[in-house]
Amino acid sequence: MVVGHREMQYPLPIGKAPNTPPDSDLHGPITVFPCKGKLSGSIGEPVVTYKPGGSYNIVLKDSYVTHNGGSCQISLSFDMGKSWKVIKSIIGDCPHHPSRNSDSFTFRMPDDVKEGKAIFAWTWINNTGNREFYMNCAHVMISAQAGSGNPPLATEVGSTTRSFKMKDIERTPLFLANMPGVDCLATAQEGHDVIFPNPGPIVETSPNARSPMLPTGSGCGGVVSGGGGGNGGGKRLYTL
């Protein structure tokens, strides 16, 4: 019996973090962008601190099905979901399939990323199953140091990702597909890992990617801005 899908375990997502409305369906596909509408309610305090230029792990909960992996993006918002900056794109085998005890991926913060509170997001387009879109979000702090009321620093990890700056990802939109009101079908048939039309400069393509394919539709460029407030409202700008 299928009991659910992958969900973000670290950083602790809104819906599991303290002082946020509990959500037992974080592993389900979204119909409200961004963050399943959670930014319109309590998002609690930041759960972790990341340093500019630091390399870290995102950890996915390993007790749910992986749908043969797929493709993922990791992004940041500094305006409560009105706009997003993709800091890494992963094409294929995300989540890992078959599943592993430690289902994690590394990412790097831009060297000059804005310090302060931010929304961290993990998005996933599954390889097999219904054509769906998944998104978990966490409230995080970006700071060069801990203390002064900031949450604990995340543990840095080794990474082969080159350093980059915010200007390098300025025109890297968050990819949206398989959602109401978005004219983009990630892959018309299951069994293909989506290739992001504009993945940005930091891309990890898995050697285990399964039949990678570009998406179809006039809205497949991604979202540069819009959808703020967690209710799907606001202007969306799709650019290829």
Side-chain angles (χ1 to χ4, degrees):
M1 180 179 71
V2 174
V3 294
H5 309 86
R6 272 297 194 265
E7 68 180 49
M8 188 166 67
Q9 182 173 319
Y10 185 84
L12 195 62
I14 300 169
K16 292 289 178 70
N19 300 316
T20 65
D23 186 352
S24 61
D25 191 38
L26 278 176
H27 49 263
I30 76 168
T31 56
V32 179
F33 175 85
C35 306
K36 299 183 73 175
K38 297 186 181 306
L39 301 186
S40 61
S42 173
I43 62 172
E45 292 300 314
V47 294
V48 69
T49 298
Y50 294 118
K51 290 182 178 180
S55 294
Y56 304 96
N57 276 336
I58 175 176
V59 180
L60 307 180
K61 194 169 184 178
D62 62 2
S63 60
Y64 296 132
V65 296
T66 65
H67 280 305
N68 286 327
S71 297
C72 304
Q73 289 186 308
I74 299 170
S75 59
L76 295 170
S77 175
F78 300 96
D79 53 14
M80 289 293 289
K82 293 183 176 65
S83 62
W84 297 88
K85 302 299 181 186
V86 175
I87 58 177
K88 186 169 186 177
S89 293
I90 305 166
I91 299 173
D93 201 34
C94 181
H96 293 306
H97 181 81
S99 61
R100 307 173 185 178
N101 289 334
S102 180
D103 199 359
S104 63
F105 297 86
T106 62
F107 65 91
R108 184 168 187 151
M109 285 288 172
D111 289 348
D112 59 347
V113 64
K114 177 182 177 182
E115 295 196 28
K117 295 180 180 180
I119 303 298
F120 176 101
W122 166 71
T123 51
W124 168 36
I125 309 254
N126 50 309
N127 178 284
T128 57
N130 295 331
R131 305 295 78 207
E132 295 170 329
F133 185 87
Y134 300 82
M135 185 176 196
N136 287 172
C137 300
H139 190 193
V140 303
M141 176 68 73
I142 299 174
S143 177
Q145 59 185 3
S148 301
N150 288 345
L153 283 169
T155 301
E156 294 194 57
V157 299
S159 174
T160 58
T161 300
R162 66 176 176 84
S163 63
F164 64 101
K165 296 187 176 183
M166 289 298 295
K167 66 184 176 85
D168 299 320
I169 59 173
E170 184 63 31
R171 297 300 298 172
T172 304
L174 177 63
F175 177 77
L176 297 182
N178 307 340
M179 289 175 52
V182 178
D183 182 19
C184 183
L185 188 62
T187 57
Q189 298 177 339
E190 62 178 331
H192 298 272
D193 293 330
V194 67
I195 300 172
F196 300 115
N198 183 3
I202 310 301
V203 183
E204 177 183 328
T205 301
S206 171
N208 299 320
R210 297 169 176 83
S211 304
M213 177 182 290
L214 283 165
T216 57
S218 62
C220 286
V223 61
V224 176
S225 63
N231 59 8
K235 181 181 178 182
R236 287 190 175 127
L237 174 64
Y238 298 98
T239 58
L240 283 173

